[in-house]
């Protein structure tokens, strides 16, 4: 069985910590057995490793999340990257074609799909593996995991089962999306299950579907034609049209940590970062990524969350509505983790004359390097405030250390490799400070070094 983890979305329900680059699954607010801060994706990946499924697992994600995944899970994790965000059906189709044409999986291979961020026990993943048996035994198009409800939730979709179900699996009659609490009570009386977004199919089922629609089933070709795939959910494009679906019940602990209310229920401490909660305050939390203290007095059942993107103060019961209020906040992410380290935006100014200035603090981990790049709409000044490394400027290498100030004009090729952990203050000045003004020639240090050696040989030849 192959496993595909779906990592997408901007996670605006956990604003201001989550944004387009750092979705909820990357927030390090949970704790592992040793008390270390871990993210949802780190927790799930560790569980997959512990249950022996990591070797046959890949992650399907958008280009904006690749660096974060590699940073948190390591560079050996297999990632399938969407060229653009187009909902779950295109993402799953691309992952299926990758398994088929790149990893050469058989059309009879069973593929399991699940979100990258469920909060579950390890035995949940054993139940995921049982989907393969249910699919093969039933001959169904799809096999779904269903969680036995613990209360009549109006937040989840429900799987309603057929009375003619087999002992080893349950036949699905129909689905009900987010019913009222009264409807949910009635559905639970009929033994309905929560739909937790976990399902399995034979690889050939999706490959045949793509062929019927005239879509390529070779990975590089599908990437080029990705924009032609319908921008729809997998539920709408596949599940609702499937003729035979079965389900397996799971009666263990499962929770979707999609709101501040549910997330704080699983946090080991009440205060993360600089903060104080007054005596007698009950069921309140502070999550602070800023370098200024927060004090919370006399307010029960409250979340205060602060990051460079903004500050949220909300009653926990109202926290489910955060997304609708911040949907229009489309500014640049103020904090990101990258494959080489992290950066935090300190200040951004756009002057009336049209000139822009952006000040960042970058942390580059020892042994890591920035990509070899150039810009045509901005110049940069780097001030090294910590550590030492190797700086490359137009194919020439030099050693740099704390206190050095580096000027990078428009059109100059440049990169930096940290020999110790480094921090630099970067001041960008230009007409348009956008991601599209980064032109990369290489990401790998070995390639960059080879380019410089060739140039050095040519100069002295």
């Amino acid at each position: 069985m192959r496993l595909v983890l779906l990592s997408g979305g901007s996670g605006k329900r956990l604003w201001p910590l989550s944004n387009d680059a750092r979705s909820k699954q990357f927030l390090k607010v949970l704790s592992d057995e040793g008390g270390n801060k871990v993210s949802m994706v780190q927790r799930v990946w560790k569980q997959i490793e512990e249950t022996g499924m990591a070797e046959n697992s890949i992650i399907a994600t958008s280009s904006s999340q690749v660096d974060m995944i590699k940073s948190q899970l390591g560079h050996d994790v297999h990632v399938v990257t969407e060229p653009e965000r187009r909902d779950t059906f295109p993402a799953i189709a691309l992952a299926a074609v990758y398994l088929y044409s790149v990893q050469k999986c058989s059309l009879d291979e069973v593929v399991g799909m699940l979100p990258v961020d469920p909060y579950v026990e390890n035995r949940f993943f054993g139940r995921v593996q049982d989907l393969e048996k249910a699919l093969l035994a039933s001959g169904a198009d799809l096999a779904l995991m269903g969680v036995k409800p613990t209360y009549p939730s109006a937040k989840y979709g429900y799987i309603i089962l057929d009375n003619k179900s087999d002992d080893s699996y349950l036949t699905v009659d129909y689905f009900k999306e987010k019913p009222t609490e009264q409807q949910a009570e009635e559905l639970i009386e009929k033994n309905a299950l929560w739909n937790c977004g976990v399902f399995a199919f034979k690889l050939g089922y999706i490959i045949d579907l793509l062929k019927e629609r005239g879509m390529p089933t070779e990975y590089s070709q599908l990437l080029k034609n990705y924009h032609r795939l319908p921008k729809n959910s997998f539920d709408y494009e596949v599940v609702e049209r499937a003729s035979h679906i079965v389900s397996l019940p799971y009666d263990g602990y499962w929770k979707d940590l999609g709101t501040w209310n549910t997330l704080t229920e699983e946090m080991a401490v009440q205060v993360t970062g600089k903060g104080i909660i007054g005596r007698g305050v009950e069921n309140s939390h502070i999550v602070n990524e800023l370098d200024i203290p927060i004090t919370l007095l006399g307010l029960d059942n409250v979340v205060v969350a602060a990051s460079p993107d903004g500050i949220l103060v909300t009653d926990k019961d109202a926290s489910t509505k955060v997304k609708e209020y911040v949907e229009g906040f489309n500014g640049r992410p103020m904090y990101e983790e990258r494959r080489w380290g992290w950066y935090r935006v300190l200040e951004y100014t756009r002057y009336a004359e049209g000139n822009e200035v952006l000040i960042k603090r970058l942390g580059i981990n020892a042994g890591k390097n920035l990509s070899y790049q150039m810009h045509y709409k901005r110049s940069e000044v780097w001030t090294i405030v910590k550590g030492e490394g190797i700086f490359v400027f137009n194919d020439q290498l030099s050693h740099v250390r704390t206190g050095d100030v580096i000027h990078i004009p428009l059109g100059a090729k440049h990169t930096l490799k940290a020999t110790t952990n480094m921090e630099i203050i970067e001041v960008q000045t230009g007409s348009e400070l956008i991601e599209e003004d980064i032109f990369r020639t290489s990401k790998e240090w070995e390639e960059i070094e080879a380019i410089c050696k060739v140039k050095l040989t040519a100069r002295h030849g």
Side-chain angles (χ1 to χ4, degrees):
M1 183 181 189
R2 300 288 176 143
L3 201 61
V4 177
L5 288 86
L6 299 173
S7 179
S10 59
K12 291 277 180 73
R13 289 185 182 87
L14 292 176
W15 185 88
L17 267 66
S18 60
N19 54 43
D20 285 340
R22 185 172 59 146
S23 298
K24 65 176 183 177
Q25 60 264 34
F26 302 117
L27 304 179
K28 292 182 180 179
V29 292
L30 301 175
S31 300
D32 63 13
E33 299 86 349
N36 303 305
K37 293 297 178 187
V38 295
S39 66
M40 301 178 203
V41 69
Q42 287 175 315
R43 186 178 188 275
V44 165
W45 190 255
K46 184 181 179 185
Q47 290 177 303
I48 288 173
E49 287 180 326
E50 290 172 347
T51 50
M53 302 174 73
E55 191 174 329
N56 290 322
S57 297
I58 63 174
I59 298 178
T61 189
S62 61
S63 57
S64 64
Q65 294 186 5
V66 172
D67 275 4
M68 193 77 78
I69 288 169
K70 297 282 187 179
S71 171
Q72 294 200 358
L73 302 184
H75 290 266
D76 295 332
V77 174
H78 283 287
V79 176
V80 174
T81 309
E82 298 175 88
E84 60 177 282
R85 281 181 172 166
R86 293 192 66 80
D87 218 319
T88 53
F89 171 68
I92 290 169
L94 187 66
V97 167
Y98 177 84
L99 292 173
Y100 174 61
S101 70
V102 178
Q103 294 198 342
K104 305 299 182 185
C105 292
S106 162
L107 291 173
D108 289 326
E109 182 80 62
V110 173
V111 181
M113 296 275 171
L114 74 155
V116 78
D117 54 4
Y119 193 84
V120 292
E121 307 156 308
N122 277 17
R123 70 186 184 96
F124 176 86
F125 296 97
R127 199 60 171 152
V128 170
Q129 290 172 304
D130 289 341
L131 287 174
E132 180 174 21
K133 300 172 192 172
L135 188 75
L136 297 177
S138 64
D141 300 324
L142 298 165
L144 277 63
M145 173 100 80
V147 174
K148 289 191 174 179
T150 53
Y151 67 99
S153 171
K155 295 187 300 179
Y156 302 135
Y158 285 73
I159 303 170
I160 294 85
L161 305 166
D162 193 318
N163 292 328
K164 301 173 185 176
S165 295
D166 188 275
D167 289 338
S168 56
Y169 54 84
L170 307 171
T171 303
V172 176
D173 188 7
Y174 65 98
F175 300 90
K176 179 68 177 177
E177 263 309 304
K178 298 180 180 178
T180 64
E181 286 190 13
Q182 184 177 345
Q183 289 172 327
E185 285 183 9
E186 295 169 0
L187 292 173
I188 291 172
E189 288 176 9
K190 297 177 182 177
N191 296 318
L193 304 170
W194 283 337
N195 187 352
C196 61
V198 179
F199 54 91
F201 51 78
K202 278 189 179 182
L203 185 56
Y205 183 68
I206 299 301
I207 298 300
D208 288 345
L209 186 151
L210 289 172
K211 287 178 178 177
E212 288 169 11
R213 298 185 177 201
M215 296 299 296
T217 56
E218 199 278 322
Y219 183 65
S220 62
Q221 291 302 312
L222 188 59
L223 280 174
K224 293 176 185 175
N225 289 273
Y226 197 69
H227 62 282
R228 292 176 51 208
L229 288 168
K231 196 172 185 178
N232 267 326
S233 69
F234 188 83
D235 284 351
Y236 178 80
E237 287 292 327
V238 179
V239 178
E240 290 183 12
R241 305 180 190 193
S243 57
H244 185 193
I245 304 175
V246 297
S247 180
L248 285 184
Y250 172 70
D251 59 2
Y253 192 79
W254 173 87
K255 184 181 284 188
D256 175 16
L257 304 186
T259 67
W260 281 112
N261 198 1
T262 54
L263 179 60
T264 52
E265 287 175 355
E266 303 302 336
M267 290 170 60
V269 295
Q270 284 184 276
V271 178
T272 301
K274 288 188 175 181
I276 298 172
I277 295 180
R279 294 188 197 89
V281 173
E282 296 182 359
N283 196 34
S284 287
H285 285 77
I286 294 173
V287 183
N288 185 11
E289 289 189 332
L290 301 179
D291 200 30
I292 54 175
I294 293 174
T295 303
L296 175 59
L297 305 176
L299 296 173
D300 296 336
N301 204 46
V302 163
V303 175
V304 179
S307 85
D309 281 356
I311 297 173
L312 170 73
V313 181
T314 178
D315 179 88
K316 287 190 178 182
D317 293 336
S319 67
T320 56
K321 300 175 183 176
V322 170
K323 183 177 180 179
E324 63 188 78
Y325 286 98
V326 303
E327 202 67 72
F329 294 175
N330 293 315
R332 66 170 66 243
M334 304 296 278
Y335 174 86
E336 284 193 56
E337 285 182 35
R338 294 292 181 92
R339 58 181 180 81
W340 40 262
W342 53 268
Y343 78 77
R344 187 185 302 277
V345 173
L346 302 179
E347 185 177 319
Y348 169 73
T349 306
R350 182 179 178 86
Y351 293 99
E353 299 83 358
N355 194 45
E356 298 180 34
V357 177
L358 180 69
I359 304 174
K360 289 181 177 180
R361 189 180 193 101
L362 285 76
I364 308 167
N365 298 327
K368 301 295 183 181
N369 64 277
L370 308 178
S371 60
Y372 201 21
Q373 59 187 250
M374 65 183 78
H375 319 290
Y376 294 106
K377 296 183 178 181
R378 72 177 186 243
S379 61
E380 296 177 346
V381 177
W382 292 355
T383 302
I384 299 173
V385 295
K386 176 184 176 184
E388 58 185 71
I390 301 168
F391 176 63
V392 181
F393 182 83
N394 286 336
D395 304 331
Q396 295 188 49
L397 291 85
S398 60
H399 188 79
V400 292
R401 59 176 61 85
T402 302
D404 286 347
V405 178
I406 302 166
H407 296 261
I408 304 166
L410 274 72
K413 292 189 293 183
H414 59 281
T415 185
L416 181 67
K417 179 181 180 180
T419 49
T420 67
N421 287 340
M422 295 186 74
E423 290 189 19
I424 66 175
I425 303 298
E426 176 182 271
V427 180
Q428 301 177 8
T429 308
S431 59
E432 198 174 13
L433 308 181
I434 55 175
E435 187 74 14
E436 289 74 18
D437 188 40
I438 302 176
F439 298 91
R440 297 179 174 91
T441 59
S442 180
K443 287 186 177 181
E444 302 304 323
W445 184 250
E446 292 76 13
E447 293 178 12
I448 298 167
E449 276 191 320
I451 291 168
C452 296
K453 285 176 183 176
V454 168
K455 293 289 184 181
L456 182 65
T457 303
R459 284 197 297 272
H460 296 281

